[in-house]
């Protein structure tokens, strides 16, 4: 994710989902570990959704609101959580990053591709 410390905003991201992992991905997200949900909230993230599209291949689209004032610090705190690292190892294994040189959700240039918001209506 691009380094920025802007305040509240909406964020859209995408990543490929391995076809053989679709059902497993859905199952683990039907019962997200409580520690993960708590850390997401503690990192000033809310209104978080993940969508699945099958065209042209399995793609996940995530949308969430960041409501804090120091995005980089909040994301670093999330990345330092051992339970989050365990969750990311599991889910990263089900995905294929569209980001060149990506190595995982915790390290590297970012795992999910970033999207530019071009329209919003409240």
């Amino acid at each position: 994710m691009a380094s920025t410390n802007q305040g509240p905003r909406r964020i859209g991201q995408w990543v490929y989902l391995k076809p053989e992992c679709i059902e497993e991905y859905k199952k683990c997200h039907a019962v997200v570990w409580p520690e993960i949900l708590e850390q997401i909230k503690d990192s000033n993230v809310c209104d978080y959704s993940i969508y699945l599209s099958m065209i042209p291949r399995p793609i996940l689209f995530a949308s969430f609101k960041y409501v804090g004032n120091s995005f980089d610090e909040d994301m670093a705190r999330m990345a330092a959580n051992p339970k989050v690292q365990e969750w990311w190892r599991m889910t990263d294994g089900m995905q294929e990053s569209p980001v060149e040189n990506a190595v995982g959700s915790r390290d590297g240039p970012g795992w999910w591709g970033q999207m530019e918001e071009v329209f919003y209506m409240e």
Side-chain angles (χ1 to χ4, degrees):
M1 173 152 296
S3 178
T4 179
N5 278 320
Q6 295 175 345
R9 64 192 183 277
R10 290 172 303 283
I11 295 174
Q13 305 174 314
W14 69 281
V15 72
Y16 296 113
L17 183 62
K18 295 176 182 176
E20 67 274 16
C21 296
I22 293 170
E23 291 310 312
E24 181 182 2
Y25 193 85
K26 286 180 179 181
K27 284 179 185 176
C28 73
H29 281 81
V31 288
V32 177
W33 304 339
E35 301 93 340
I36 304 306
L37 298 174
E38 182 179 329
Q39 183 63 63
I40 290 170
K41 290 176 188 173
D42 288 348
S43 298
N44 294 303
V45 171
C46 63
D47 198 17
Y48 191 178
S49 296
I50 300 175
Y51 300 88
L52 171 62
S53 173
M54 298 301 289
I55 300 171
R57 63 182 273 197
I59 296 173
L60 298 170
F61 166 71
S63 172
F64 61 90
K65 291 180 184 174
Y66 173 72
V67 295
N69 292 309
S70 185
F71 185 82
D72 290 347
E73 289 177 20
D74 284 333
M75 295 305 106
R77 194 171 65 253
M78 185 182 303
N81 182 317
K83 200 68 172 176
V84 170
Q85 292 171 19
E86 182 181 351
W87 178 266
W88 284 346
R89 279 190 300 275
M90 177 182 66
T91 58
D92 284 0
M94 298 180 215
Q95 303 165 349
E96 296 174 351
S97 177
V99 179
E100 189 173 330
N101 299 318
V103 294
S105 290
R106 181 175 175 212
D107 301 307
W111 187 249
W112 286 63
Q114 302 303 303
M115 302 181 81
E116 176 185 356
E117 181 178 66
V118 295
F119 175 78
Y120 173 74
M121 186 179 108
E122 190 168 316

